[in-house]
Amino acid sequence: MPTALIVEDEPEANKLLGMLLKLRGYQSTAAFSGAEALSYLKDNTPDVVFLDLMLPDLNGYEVCRAIKASRTDCLTPVVIVTARVATESRIESFRAGADDFVSKPYTPDQIFLALKQAEDFRGRTGRPVIEDVAPLAELDDGETLRKLAQLHNLVLGRTPLGADAVERMNRAIEGVRATIDRWATDRPCSESATLRYELTPTQLALVIGGQLDWLDEERSGGAEAVLDAARDGFDEVFLDRDQTRLTLIKTWA
């Protein structure tokens, strides 16, 4: 039977969510504070965590970051469930590493959809080759940040790379994303860049395609500065302007 951890300090809200999960065959455990949740996770690995942002001790962002910083727990899907409906809360949740975001009051279908997406992600994490694509110009709903957070979690959880190496890769990717985002903000009608990745047992390959004019963005120091920053996190960096493609490769075997 799949298991879920519900981190919600309101007993009735915690119970209601548990009843909905039971309808989908889940056995749930209730935690009423961030500390209680993190204590539970030291000895247990649920299939999914439903996490409120407003807790009596730690806030939900802190709990989410702690989960996603752990090599043991980083692949556990975290669904933020909160009354904070502002766009900033959604984006900050994905910055903290969350896999999904559901606003209160929610409908049962929203919870069931979040469960389905969590199950799909768990299924992907067990494949020998994992592929996905993400937009690299920020969207209002935080989809770019969500996809990049999942990539970070996959690398931490699926590879032997140390935390420092993973963080260098993350900084390199974030530098590229920020450069593209600045460039696209000034040119709202321009073709957007996309990132495709393939994670295998021996390497991670990222291919950034589409518009490459962002490489010459002056505030980033131009193409060479961007490429040098990418080399700090990746073993190989290939730029093919004819094919409008930038490829970054990190190996560990």
Side-chain angles (χ1 to χ4, degrees):
M1 176 180 292
T3 60
L5 174 64
I6 302 173
V7 191
E8 163 65 69
D9 65 325
E10 293 291 337
E12 288 303 313
N14 201 311
K15 181 179 179 180
L16 174 61
L17 187 49
M19 292 172 61
L20 290 175
L21 299 185
K22 186 176 180 180
L23 292 176
R24 286 296 187 265
Y26 278 74
Q27 177 181 339
S28 63
T29 297
F32 299 96
S33 70
E36 187 179 352
L38 294 178
S39 177
Y40 175 84
L41 289 168
K42 288 180 181 179
D43 301 311
N44 302 273
T45 304
D47 292 297
V48 62
V49 175
F50 284 85
L51 174 62
D52 188 19
L53 288 180
M54 295 178 284
L55 299 170
D57 51 354
L58 306 172
N59 64 49
Y61 300 133
E62 294 174 293
V63 176
C64 187
R65 281 192 287 267
I67 294 172
K68 295 304 184 177
S70 166
R71 192 181 292 272
T72 302
D73 298 323
C74 63
L75 295 180
T76 299
V78 174
V79 181
I80 300 295
V81 183
T82 181
R84 294 183 180 179
V85 297
T87 300
E88 291 80 2
S89 297
R90 181 182 179 88
I91 290 175
E92 188 60 30
S93 295
F94 293 140
R95 287 191 186 280
D99 298 271
D100 209 343
F101 184 95
V102 177
S103 298
K104 296 179 182 177
Y106 53 76
T107 67
D109 284 345
Q110 287 176 294
I111 297 300
F112 298 154
L113 177 59
L115 270 181
K116 175 64 167 56
Q117 292 177 336
E119 291 165 356
D120 289 346
F121 179 72
R122 288 203 313 272
R124 290 176 57 219
T125 63
R127 298 174 186 170
V129 177
I130 303 173
E131 299 175 292
D132 205 353
V133 59
L136 280 181
E138 186 55 82
L139 304 176
D140 290 341
D141 63 357
E143 180 66 7
T144 297
L145 295 174
R146 185 181 76 85
K147 290 274 191 175
L148 293 182
Q150 287 189 333
L151 172 59
H152 171 273
N153 299 333
L154 285 165
V155 172
L156 182 61
R158 280 284 308 268
T159 78
L161 294 174
D164 287 345
V166 176
E167 181 56 31
R168 286 197 300 273
M169 289 176 54
N170 196 53
R171 285 198 302 267
I173 296 171
E174 174 58 24
V176 169
R177 187 206 65 79
T179 301
I180 292 173
D181 198 38
R182 285 195 303 269
W183 187 89
T185 298
D186 295 336
R187 301 163 181 81
C189 295
S190 62
E191 178 187 357
S192 62
T194 59
L195 179 149
R196 296 181 181 275
Y197 68 80
E198 181 182 78
L199 178 63
T200 75
T202 60
Q203 73 170 28
L204 171 67
L206 308 181
V207 178
I208 300 167
Q211 176 63 258
L212 287 183
D213 288 351
W214 57 269
L215 274 169
D216 302 311
E217 214 273 337
E218 293 182 2
R219 282 173 290 179
S220 299
E224 283 307 312
V226 174
L227 296 179
D228 284 344
R231 292 185 185 102
D232 185 55
F234 290 84
D235 300 316
E236 301 175 72
V237 177
F238 304 105
L239 173 61
D240 187 336
R241 286 190 182 269
D242 291 336
Q243 298 294 322
T244 62
R245 182 170 58 202
L246 174 64
T247 303
L248 312 177
I249 297 176
K250 181 70 177 180
T251 58
W252 48 82

